[in-house]
């Protein structure tokens, strides 16, 4: 299949060094754009375009592997120098992580240049980059149907004015519960969501890891649980895979409505669940659309209750 709406993803492409309770892994393919593109291409097939930067040390085979999944990598710039590198250590229960080192390298001078052919992308996913660069991307694209963005605490506390401008320019914000609380200054997530939506994005997704995710739009609130897994190996990239899965579903459907966004939430959660089953993106690289169909079916049975929830008399 080919997605009806081309999706443009802008964000980091990285080497990750991962210290997991089960062992240490070095030079793992990573970055928000990588995870999101792998996830969206699983849902939507060809049609995902990535804009990012890698260094001279980045193996062509990694880009070829993205291309083999139908991801268009013509917007990936190869710069002189080393690829962005992130080193994280997870706690023994994988519930928290510490950043041990971030080497921006070529990412420090990243200024996204959207290729002419990508400027008409119908859907745009702005990965977690400087909010000024996110606005820069919005200014380069022509009338997309939907612009979604991610951000992080670092920008919420460090660049509030630039982030406020991002919020005014996007349709969908995808963040986690901590970020929603910090951004709004409100602990209660329902009230935090109302506050954030007043600042721009009509739609807001709040991810809560193993506790599922909430979506707020004009039609109300919606909840999707996290898929219950027996074994979680590595949460790195789960949020980006979630966002890629969600946007991939919208790309494949070719239209946006409250009903379609609600269905997209299941694909988002399914892709997040695949991501955490392997170290780095290994599981995302291994699963097929048939595996995705099976997971979606078991997701449907997870929330299937027979349809009648009237109060017994
Ligand atoms: P997540 O687990 O969804 O937060 O995403 C983890 C990915 O984000 C890793 O593959 C990292 O390479 C990437 N990453 C970590 N720190 C940053 C940063 N400051 N800017 C952009 N990407 C980052």
């Amino acid at each position: 299949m080919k997605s009806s709406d081309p999706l443009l993803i802008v964000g980091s492409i990285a080497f990750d060094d991962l210290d997991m309770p089960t062992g240490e892994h070095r030079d793992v393919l990573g970055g928000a754009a990588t995870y999101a593109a792998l996830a969206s291409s699983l849902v939507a097939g060809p049609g995902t375009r990535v804009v990012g930067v890698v260094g001279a040390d980045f193996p062509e085979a990694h880009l070829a592997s993205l291309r083999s999944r139908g991801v268009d990598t013509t917007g990936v710039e190869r710069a002189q120098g080393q690829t962005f590198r992130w080193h994280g250590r997870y706690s023994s229960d994988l519930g928290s992580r510490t950043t041990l080192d971030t080497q921006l390298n070529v990412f420090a001078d990243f200024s996204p240049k959207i290729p002419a052919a990508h400027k008409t992308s119908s859907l745009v996913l702005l990965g977690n980059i400087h909010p000024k660069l996110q606005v820069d991307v919005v200014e380069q694209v022509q009338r997309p149907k939907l612009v979604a963005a991610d951000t992080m605490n670092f920008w919420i506390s460090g660049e509030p004015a630039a982030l406020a401008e991002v919020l005014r320019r996007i349709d969908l914000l995808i963040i986690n519960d901590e970020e929603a609380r910090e951004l709004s200054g409100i602990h209660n997530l329902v009230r935090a969501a109302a506050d954030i939506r007043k600042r721009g994005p009509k739609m807001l997704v709040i991810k809560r890891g193993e506790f599922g995710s909430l979506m707020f739009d004009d039609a109300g609130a919606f909840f999707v649980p996290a898929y219950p897994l027996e074994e979680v190996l590595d949460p790195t990239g789960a949020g980006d895979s979630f966002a890629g899965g969600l946007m991939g579903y919208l790309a494949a459907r070719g239209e946006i409505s409250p009903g379609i966004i609600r269905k997209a939430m299941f694909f988002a959660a399914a892709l997040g669940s695949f991501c955490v089953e392997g170290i780095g993106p290994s599981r995302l690289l291994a699963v097929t659309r048939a595996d995705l169909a099976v997971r979606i079916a078991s997701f449907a049975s997870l929330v299937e209750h027979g349809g009648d929830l009237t109060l017994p008399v």
Side-chain angles (χ1 to χ4, degrees):
M1 70 170 293
K2 189 164 179 16
S3 43
S4 327
D5 274 340
L7 164 64
L8 172 67
I9 298 175
V10 183
S12 58
I13 302 172
F15 286 130
D16 289 345
D17 293 326
L18 306 170
D19 295 2
M20 312 306 301
T22 46
E24 295 185 351
H25 306 269
R26 297 291 173 258
D27 298 333
V28 178
L29 171 64
T34 307
Y35 282 104
L38 288 173
S40 81
S41 62
L42 254 167
V43 182
T48 298
R49 300 143 168 195
V50 171
V51 167
V53 63
V54 298
D57 55 350
F58 195 77
E60 186 53 36
H62 283 332
L63 295 177
S65 127
L66 285 169
R67 282 194 292 273
S68 74
R69 284 157 180 82
V71 177
D72 183 333
T73 61
T74 52
V76 177
E77 192 188 326
R78 192 179 278 278
Q80 293 285 326
Q82 306 243 292
T83 301
F84 172 75
R85 184 175 285 271
W86 176 75
H87 185 180
R89 175 178 294 152
Y90 284 84
S91 61
S92 56
D93 65 355
L94 298 177
S96 61
R97 75 177 179 206
T98 313
T99 293
L100 299 179
D101 192 25
T102 300
Q103 289 172 27
L104 291 175
N105 299 330
V106 293
F107 198 51
D109 302 315
F110 180 49
S111 166
K113 284 178 269 317
I114 311 303
H118 296 183
K119 289 188 177 185
T120 51
S121 301
S122 317
L123 302 170
V124 179
L125 175 59
L126 304 168
N128 161 34
I129 52 176
H130 194 298
K132 282 196 176 132
L133 297 181
Q134 292 180 318
V135 170
D136 236 39
V137 173
V138 175
E139 281 178 352
Q140 291 179 61
V141 292
Q142 292 159 19
R143 297 177 163 274
K145 282 189 196 169
L146 181 137
V147 179
D150 182 13
T151 191
M152 69 191 287
N153 294 2
F154 185 71
W155 307 123
I156 294 171
S157 56
E159 293 285 347
L163 188 58
E165 176 63 13
V166 171
L167 295 182
R168 284 192 287 273
R169 308 284 290 261
I170 62 170
D171 307 288
L172 167 64
L173 181 68
I174 307 174
I175 51 178
N176 67 32
D177 44 4
E178 248 179 63
E179 292 156 353
R181 288 183 171 123
E182 186 170 342
L183 178 58
S184 61
I186 300 170
H187 187 80
N188 177 285
L189 289 179
V190 178
R191 287 182 32 233
D195 175 89
I196 294 167
R197 291 182 60 233
K198 273 190 214 135
R199 303 182 195 196
K202 286 237 156 30
M203 293 169 273
L204 171 69
V205 170
I206 301 182
K207 298 167 289 175
R208 307 194 66 203
E210 61 181 310
F211 304 111
S213 354
L214 288 157
M215 198 274 301
F216 299 87
D217 65 4
D218 285 343
F222 185 69
F223 174 71
V224 170
Y227 186 79
L229 294 169
E230 262 179 51
E231 188 172 53
V232 173
L233 279 184
D234 175 13
T236 309
D240 308 309
S241 305
F242 179 102
L246 192 150
M247 296 296 282
Y249 184 76
L250 299 183
R253 291 298 304 267
E255 59 175 300
I256 297 155
S257 70
I260 287 173
I261 298 266
R262 281 158 174 74
K263 290 186 177 71
M265 289 283 285
F266 284 95
F267 285 81
L271 268 297
S273 76
F274 279 138
C275 176
V276 304
E277 286 183 311
I279 298 293
S282 59
R283 184 87 174 115
L284 287 182
L285 286 163
V287 290
T288 61
R289 286 173 60 82
D291 297 322
L292 175 57
V294 169
R295 179 137 307 176
I296 288 292
S298 67
F299 232 125
S301 64
L302 182 69
V303 295
E304 176 57 57
H305 52 76
D308 180 10
L309 283 177
T310 50
L311 187 65
V313 283

